[in-house]
Structure formats: C-alpha cells, structure tokens
Amino acid sequence: KAGVTQTPRYLIKTRGQQVTLSCSPISGHRSVSWYQQTPGQGLQFLFEYFSETQRNKGNFPGRFSGRQFSNSRSEMNVSTLELGDSALYLCASSLGQKNIQYFGAGTRLSVL
Amino acid sequence: GEDVEQSLFLSVREGDSSVINCTYTDSSSTYLYWYKQEPGAGLQLLTYIFSNMDMKQDQRLTVLLNKKDKHLSLRIADTQTGDSAIYFCAETSFQKLVFGTGTRLLVSP
C-alpha cells in the first residue's frame, strides 16, 4: 500500500509569490492534515480536512489556505510569500478524526 | 494550554538502552505518539499508545504511560547507530497533533 505522497519535494520561491503544495493520502484515508515545521517554532498544525470540509484550523494568517478534493487529495496554498514561510510542510493522513496519522516526506519550501 | 515538553538531547553508546521522556498536558488525548525524523526526511510513525493503556511493547521499543503525572517515555533497547535521529512525542488535542520540541538522539559506536 503506497504511503502519503507529497509533491513537489523541494520548492524555491521569491517573496510576494504564491505557492501550491499537493498531498495524496494513503488509499482509503479520508482525513488530511497539514503541519509546518521550522527550527524556531517546531511542528505546528495548519489545518485538517475530512470529506472536502475543513474541520479544524491552526493559528496561521489567512494567506495560508487549503482544500480537499473528492478523491481525498489535498492542496495547500500560501499567497504573498514571506521569508518566514520558509519551512518543511508536512501532510498527514488518517482514516478519520481519532485515527493514527501517517506522514509524508514533506515539501521543503525556501523563500528568497 | 497545550505544551508538550521533551529534553533536547540524549547521547548513548551502541548497545545501550535509550530512554526518551515527555510530559504532555491534554488528559483527553486519545492516542499518544512517538515519531522519528531523520535528516531531510518526514516523520516516521514509530509507535503509539492508546490512552487507556499503561505500557506497550513493540520489538525493541517500549512505551510507558503514566496518566496521573502525564508522563510518557520511549525506551529503545540495544540502541544502534541507525537509531540516531530526532524523536518527537505528540498528543492529540482538539482533533490535531501537538508535538514536543523533539529529542535528538546520538548513538556512538
């Protein structure tokens, strides 16, 4: 069974641009969560989707958004990039809300 | 509030046991997790324990949960150089994972 797949693995953008990251969950998993990892703030929760609905959101500005498609694949978008958005973005999938979360390899975003 | 605490660093010799400790805050957590992160990689689920259990053993890994003190530990028996990584504990809180700062485990030959 394939694991959680995140694309692309690496991205380099400049300030002010926008970026879209993609996550394909484990087959059969309907919940997708996103996390940001930085050296200063550690691992922080961005948002969680289940059946195309955002159920939970972390404390991030509105520049961070996401969506989930009918096949459970998810995308997150960051608009008007800032230097501080440089981070490893991790996606996790699970069967449902109270189930074990499995992570992908992440997308490393560098903002110059 | 949400605050999961871990010590930052642990150094052991190959073949010794390693014990990584964690304290958490949310007593309603359904699961408590241990994840491993190697350089440049994502988070690998090592093991987890359901909140109504006290102990879970999985090959070289033993997880102990003390709900009264909100203390979680991970013991790695016969630690190998390949176990060198950062280990994160995490609690479930309001449908999301809250992670500790991570413990960097260094295993020397």
Side-chain angles (χ1 to χ4, degrees):
Chain A
K1 202 174 196 182
V4 179
T5 304
Q6 292 188 245
T7 56
R9 290 294 314 278
Y10 303 94
L11 266 177
I12 300 176
K13 293 285 186 180
T14 55
R15 275 186 302 172
Q17 287 186 310
Q18 75 164 18
V19 68
T20 299
L21 313 182
S22 179
C23 173
S24 294
I26 292 170
S27 177
H29 285 194
R30 296 171 64 191
S31 171
V32 173
S33 299
W34 290 88
Y35 294 82
Q36 181 197 63
Q37 185 179 27
T38 59
Q41 299 298 316
L43 282 152
Q44 294 192 294
F45 172 77
L46 280 155
F47 26 66
E48 187 250 352
Y49 288 86
F50 183 85
S51 292
E52 303 178 65
T53 300
Q54 185 184 91
R55 293 194 301 192
N56 200 1
K57 189 177 191 305
N59 189 24
F60 278 81
R63 299 185 297 106
F64 291 81
S65 63
R67 59 178 176 168
Q68 186 181 34
F69 302 95
S70 58
N71 61 358
S72 295
R73 190 176 71 84
S74 177
E75 289 181 348
M76 69 163 277
N77 185 276
V78 187
S79 62
T80 319
L81 283 165
E82 300 177 0
L83 295 178
D85 297 332
S86 295
L88 179 66
Y89 291 87
L90 293 162
C91 165
S93 78
S94 65
L95 282 170
Q97 201 172 79
K98 292 192 175 182
N99 296 97
I100 307 301
Q101 295 195 27
Y102 297 90
F103 283 80
T107 294
R108 186 164 296 279
L109 171 65
S110 297
V111 182
L112 307 178
Chain B
E2 304 164 348
D3 194 12
V4 178
E5 295 188 354
Q6 299 179 238
S7 53
L8 290 179
F9 188 76
L10 176 65
S11 180
V12 300
R13 287 200 175 274
E14 193 172 24
D16 289 349
S17 291
S18 305
V19 179
I20 302 172
N21 294 302
C22 169
T23 56
Y24 62 96
T25 55
D26 190 343
S27 57
S28 66
S29 290
T30 311
Y31 293 101
L32 293 143
Y33 300 79
W34 285 102
Y35 287 91
K36 175 183 179 183
Q37 187 174 40
E38 297 184 78
L43 297 176
Q44 174 194 349
L45 177 65
L46 270 184
T47 187
Y48 59 91
I49 187 166
F50 196 57
S51 58
N52 68 353
M53 298 169 65
D54 296 323
M55 185 182 92
K56 180 179 179 181
Q57 190 150 0
D58 185 1
Q59 299 183 343
R60 292 190 297 124
L61 305 177
T62 303
V63 179
L64 295 177
L65 175 59
N66 180 328
K67 289 184 285 293
K68 174 176 168 291
D69 295 335
K70 295 182 184 171
H71 183 265
L72 183 73
S73 69
L74 172 70
R75 178 176 179 270
I76 306 173
D78 188 25
T79 314
Q80 303 297 306
T81 54
D83 294 325
S84 292
I86 300 176
Y87 291 79
F88 292 93
C89 70
E91 64 177 359
T92 46
S93 178
F94 296 103
Q95 305 150 20
K96 66 181 187 290
L97 294 182
V98 177
F99 289 88
T101 52
T103 299
R104 183 178 296 275
L105 174 64
L106 177 64
V107 184
S108 53

